[in-house]
Amino acid sequence: LRVLEHQQFERLGDSRTISVDVRLIAATNQPLERMVDAGTFRDDLYYRLRVVSIQVPALRDRIEDIPLLTVHFLREACAANGKAVGGITRNAVNILMRYDWPGNVRELKNIVEGMVVMGRDGRHLDIDDVPEHVRRRTAPEVSEIRIPTGTSMNEVERIVIQETMKVCG
């Protein structure tokens, strides 16, 4: 509390006061106001922390962020793990966008890192690289398949079956 209020503290067992110039950013998924009311969170700490409050919706409520976050986490994971994955397919991103994300952005980051670690260098991550539990817990997708004019019916059938298998996992 002293650091937050006066930007000073003393180390345990030391008599010197140390001054610091810091800003603290804190995040929680708990309802701190209710916790203060219930007596399970210190009100003095709560009021010192709550200078500016920003409410960020859950990832499931802002699915339009998933493609950008996925590409960002993919680059980070490639750099951190020495991998050269070629990217991620639209079909794989579509599956990620249909998942509920109970673990929010942290879960997305870990899923993407796992996909990169298990993926092969130079190859795009695809539906098969998305963990099975994510594929299993997604809402069904309505998708489009573009088939060039003049394609034989046998080839059309093959394409439709392959794409359906990809979407269904």
Side-chain angles (χ1 to χ4, degrees), residues 26-33 35 41 46 54-56 104 106:
T28 182
N29 62 356
Q30 300 297 313
L32 291 183
E33 283 183 25
M35 293 174 70
F41 193 86
Y46 172 73
I54 300 171
Q55 300 293 321
V56 179
N104 244 320
R106 287 182 195 96

Side-chain angles (χ1 to χ4, degrees), residues 5-168:
E5 186 141 338
H6 302 291
Q7 296 191 323
Q8 297 178 335
F9 69 96
E10 281 119 23
R11 289 192 178 121
L12 193 60
D14 196 348
S15 60
R16 289 180 296 143
T17 300
I18 299 172
S19 295
V20 292
D21 183 14
V22 297
R23 285 182 196 229
L24 182 68
I25 299 173
T28 182
N29 62 356
Q30 300 297 313
L32 291 183
E33 283 183 25
R34 278 191 258 147
M35 293 174 70
V36 167
D37 292 342
T40 57
F41 193 86
R42 290 179 57 166
D43 59 349
D44 54 350
L45 177 58
Y46 172 73
Y47 294 117
R48 282 180 179 85
L49 287 173
R50 189 171 184 209
V51 176
V52 175
S53 182
I54 300 171
Q55 300 293 321
V56 179
L59 186 57
R60 73 181 138 273
D61 296 330
R62 51 192 175 98
I63 60 170
E64 66 278 0
D65 291 349
I66 292 173
L68 292 172
L69 288 168
T70 299
V71 170
H72 173 73
F73 293 145
L74 184 103
R75 288 185 187 133
E76 275 189 347
C78 284
N81 293 284
K83 298 283 283 195
V85 172
I88 186 164
T89 67
R90 184 70 201 158
N91 287 336
V93 171
N94 286 342
I95 288 201
L96 296 176
M97 290 176 71
R98 292 193 329 267
Y99 182 62
D100 196 36
W101 298 108
N104 244 320
V105 176
R106 287 182 195 96
E107 184 182 12
L108 175 61
K109 181 178 182 177
N110 290 339
I111 293 290
V112 172
E113 182 168 13
M115 291 169 63
V116 167
V117 167
M118 298 304 290
R120 289 192 317 237
D121 282 350
R123 186 173 89 50
H124 277 66
L125 299 173
D126 202 357
I127 291 173
D128 296 338
D129 299 301
V130 176
E132 201 272 326
H133 78 277
V134 173
R135 285 182 281 153
R136 184 177 57 238
R137 291 179 50 196
T138 57
E141 176 186 26
V142 176
S143 64
E144 250 180 50
I145 300 172
R146 294 181 187 253
I147 298 174
T149 305
T151 305
S152 72
M153 286 308 291
N154 284 340
E155 184 64 13
V156 169
E157 183 178 21
R158 185 184 68 72
I159 291 169
V160 169
I161 289 171
Q162 283 181 332
E163 290 303 310
T164 301
M165 289 173 65
K166 282 182 187 177
V167 168
C168 293

